[in-house]
Amino acid sequence: MLEIIATNLTDVKDAEKFGADRIELSPAMSELGITPSYGLIQAAVESVNIPINVIIRPHSQSFIYNKNDMEVMKRDINMVKSLGANGIVIGALTKDHTMDDDVLTELLAVTDSLDVTIHRAFDFARDQKEALLKLAEYKQITTILTAGGNYRAPEAVEQINELMAMASETHLSIMTGHGLRLDTFETFYKSTKPEFVHFGTGARINESFDFGLDESKIKEINQIMASN
């Protein structure tokens, strides 16, 4: 499965047209993504037939959240449910850089049937294997997005393979992303064979969120995945 980051409605429509299997709706990628507006979520869901997972991140200060943040995040999750999106993308760390049980438990209590992906807060945990085992305790979480740590994914092939091996013993799937580029993607893909792949700037014109999605890149990414 190929997931593409969309930051606006044009991205959403182009992602489906160019061959994405799923969309992560995540504006403000210069700040690692912020919860999109009601209007954008509604328009996105109404405009395409592929699944849309919506990032739930109330601010860009950190991945550490207080009670006020939690109130906003729960309201946003309820908004996502009411608008009919496929799922949410969440993540939370304690000050000790472990996965935050309290925050995750509270958020998951209101997700109902939404698909749940853990975003790259996971890559900033003090110990990814410890974090994976903790996340495996939550049956509502299906997927972890990771670059194998605070790296670009092609720099962490060994770690990614170890995480995928660990995840295979659980209900979780690993989705690789961050730093994927077309010129190195085939080598990376052959070395890891992830079930899910996540592209941001690597699927864009000039490899920048300042520009739109690149149809030729997305088609080539799909060809590499289909042939390897």
Side-chain angles (χ1 to χ4, degrees):
M1 188 198 75
L2 173 60
E3 180 177 273
I4 296 290
I5 295 174
T7 63
N8 54 51
L9 186 58
T10 300
D11 284 351
V12 169
K13 293 179 178 181
D14 285 348
E16 181 182 56
K17 182 168 63 176
F18 297 163
D21 299 304
R22 191 171 76 186
I23 289 166
E24 180 188 316
L25 191 60
S26 184
M29 283 304 297
S30 62
E31 300 179 77
L32 299 182
I34 297 293
T35 307
S37 70
Y38 182 105
L40 176 54
I41 300 170
Q42 183 179 47
V45 170
E46 292 174 352
S47 296
V48 297
N49 294 312
I50 60 175
I52 296 174
N53 285 3
V54 179
I55 194 166
I56 303 295
R57 189 164 179 246
H59 59 70
S60 61
Q61 293 173 346
S62 69
F63 297 115
I64 299 170
Y65 301 113
N66 62 29
K67 291 184 182 297
N68 294 325
D69 299 327
M70 291 299 300
E71 180 63 27
V72 171
M73 294 167 85
K74 287 188 289 184
R75 288 173 184 250
D76 284 337
I77 291 170
N78 284 323
M79 174 182 67
V80 170
K81 286 191 296 187
S82 71
L83 293 174
N86 178 69
I88 56 172
V89 184
I90 61 174
L93 297 175
T94 67
K95 291 179 181 179
D96 295 325
H97 292 272
T98 61
M99 303 310 298
D100 193 321
D101 269 330
D102 293 338
V103 171
L104 291 174
T105 298
E106 199 167 335
L107 294 182
L108 292 171
V110 299
T111 58
D112 294 334
S113 60
L114 289 172
D115 181 74
V116 180
T117 294
I118 297 296
H119 57 51
R120 288 192 61 241
F122 177 79
D123 282 343
F124 299 92
R126 69 183 185 186
D127 183 325
Q128 286 192 300
K129 294 177 181 178
E130 172 189 59
L132 190 151
L133 292 174
K134 174 54 64 178
L135 295 173
E137 296 176 7
Y138 298 97
K139 297 306 179 185
Q140 289 158 285
I141 298 170
T142 62
T143 310
I144 300 172
L145 171 63
T146 181
N150 189 16
Y151 310 101
R152 294 182 180 276
E155 300 168 358
V157 167
E158 183 177 348
Q159 175 75 348
I160 288 170
N161 283 331
E162 289 178 3
L163 291 170
M164 288 196 297
M166 281 188 66
S168 70
E169 302 295 323
T170 75
H171 70 284
L172 297 168
S173 296
I174 295 294
M175 178 163 57
T176 58
H178 184 64
L180 296 180
R181 297 288 182 269
L182 191 55
D183 58 348
T184 58
F185 178 61
E186 185 165 16
T187 299
F188 170 79
Y189 189 74
K190 286 180 177 179
S191 301
T192 54
K193 291 292 182 70
E195 185 178 358
F196 302 115
V197 173
H198 171 94
F199 264 82
T201 56
R204 290 180 175 270
I205 297 165
N206 295 336
E207 296 188 342
S208 169
F209 283 111
D210 292 337
F211 298 89
L213 294 171
D214 188 317
E215 182 175 9
S216 63
K217 287 181 179 177
I218 293 173
K219 287 184 174 179
E220 193 167 343
I221 291 163
N222 273 319
Q223 288 171 357
I224 290 170
M225 293 174 67
S227 62
N228 286 280

